[in-house]
Amino acid sequence: MVEIATSILSVEKGKEAATFLELEAAKTDYFHIDVMDGKFVEKNTYSKMLEYASYIKRISNLPLDVHLMVEDIKEAVDDFLAVEPNRITFHLEACKNKEEVYKTIKYIKENNCKVGISVKPNTKIEDVYEFLPYVHMCLVMTVEPGKGGQTLLKDMVDKIATVKKYIQDNQIDIDIEADGGINLRTVSEVKKAGANILVAGTAILAANHYKTIIDELKMS
Ligand code: DX5
Ligand code: ZN
């Protein structure tokens, strides 16, 4: 059964308490925290995501799936460790060289947190292969990072299938997360390709009943 990570990027200020409580009741598997620094991507959601994540930590036991779309990864890791996330995912493209990738993986693990590595749509999936044995998850962006409500890039479905085959052929037991444009129309091809954690923001937050849409995404 796939797991659903609800992106809280578009949760409206003032409605966050009710939204998070309803998402908890709807049994989202993770809260997906989209951290943007205004440099790696245009938007800056840094302080809002830290505030929201701290609030969720206080009211819920559900795990936090932190997605760092930032240039200064170590600074963001230090800030978001405070909310005791289940996993922190950083972007390969934010690292200057391989040494920095390995150093970041080690740093997150040393702080007792699971680590994910993410690739943007234009990054070749082969570029991340060597790091996969050392992480817990590979996040395949199915849209260009930076905002919610975009349309899933179809080519990314093949990219998911390619990395799925690679981890199976090489006995690497990690999760594959797909992130961006996931909804009832796109979920089955993404699942069939091999993603086992699906991020959805708009599809869930725009729905009248969170539990219904989360169950439908899981069952589709
Ligand atoms: C985009 C974020 C995604 C996005 C998902 O940079 O990483 O998590 O918020 O939102 P939807 O589901 O609306 O594409
Ligand atoms: Zn995300």
Side-chain angles (χ1 to χ4, degrees):
M1 174 74 86
V2 294
E3 293 183 303
I4 301 295
T6 303
S7 163
I8 64 165
L9 179 66
S10 318
V11 172
E12 275 176 67
K13 202 90 188 81
K15 293 185 180 168
E16 65 270 25
T19 303
F20 298 149
L21 286 170
E22 191 184 338
L23 282 170
E24 166 146 82
K27 298 207 180 326
T28 184
D29 295 291
Y30 297 91
F31 287 100
H32 183 81
I33 316 293
D34 279 315
V35 183
M36 301 176 187
D37 65 355
K39 291 179 246 170
F40 184 74
V41 291
E42 201 181 317
K43 253 179 150 175
N44 188 327
T45 66
Y46 202 96
S47 48
K48 186 168 102 170
M49 287 298 116
L50 195 50
E51 185 194 325
Y52 279 4
S54 312
Y55 182 78
I56 292 169
K57 197 69 209 161
R58 290 199 300 274
I59 62 156
S60 171
N61 291 325
L62 290 178
L64 301 180
D65 173 34
V66 173
H67 176 195
L68 297 180
M69 290 160 275
V70 303
E71 283 183 359
D72 188 339
I73 302 170
K74 186 178 179 307
E75 178 195 53
V77 169
D78 288 340
D79 285 340
F80 280 84
L81 279 171
V83 296
E84 297 171 344
N86 175 272
R87 179 176 49 235
I88 296 178
T89 300
F90 65 96
H91 270 265
L92 177 68
E93 303 89 354
C95 296
K96 287 182 284 304
N97 50 45
K98 294 187 178 192
E99 292 66 38
E100 190 182 339
V101 178
Y102 284 114
K103 214 167 89 188
T104 304
I105 292 168
K106 186 166 175 288
Y107 186 71
I108 294 170
K109 283 177 157 177
E110 278 171 351
N111 282 280
N112 307 315
C113 186
K114 286 185 178 171
V115 56
I117 190 162
S118 181
V119 284
K120 292 165 59 171
N122 291 339
T123 300
K124 291 195 322 312
I125 194 65
E126 294 76 12
D127 293 353
V128 82
Y129 282 174
E130 76 170 273
F131 310 110
L132 295 183
Y134 309 100
V135 300
H136 300 90
M137 183 183 83
C138 178
L139 195 175
V140 178
M141 287 306 296
T142 41
V143 295
E144 194 59 36
K147 59 182 172 30
Q150 300 177 73
T151 303
L152 180 134
L153 300 168
K154 289 281 183 194
D155 292 359
M156 297 303 111
V157 178
D158 291 344
K159 194 173 187 181
I160 292 167
T162 305
V163 68
K164 179 70 176 179
K165 182 172 181 329
Y166 179 80
I167 65 172
Q168 284 173 329
D169 291 353
N170 292 276
Q171 287 84 41
I172 300 170
D173 180 19
I174 62 170
D175 291 317
I176 296 177
E177 185 173 74
D179 185 6
I182 309 261
N183 53 46
L184 290 179
R185 283 182 309 287
T186 58
V187 64
S188 42
E189 61 189 307
V190 169
K191 255 196 249 185
K192 213 163 107 236
N196 67 301
I197 303 178
L198 309 176
V199 178
T202 305
I204 294 172
L205 297 176
N208 293 329
H209 202 251
Y210 295 157
K211 177 138 184 50
T212 308
I213 182 67
I214 286 173
D215 290 347
E216 283 176 347
L217 285 167
K218 282 190 173 187
M219 307 307 281
S220 298

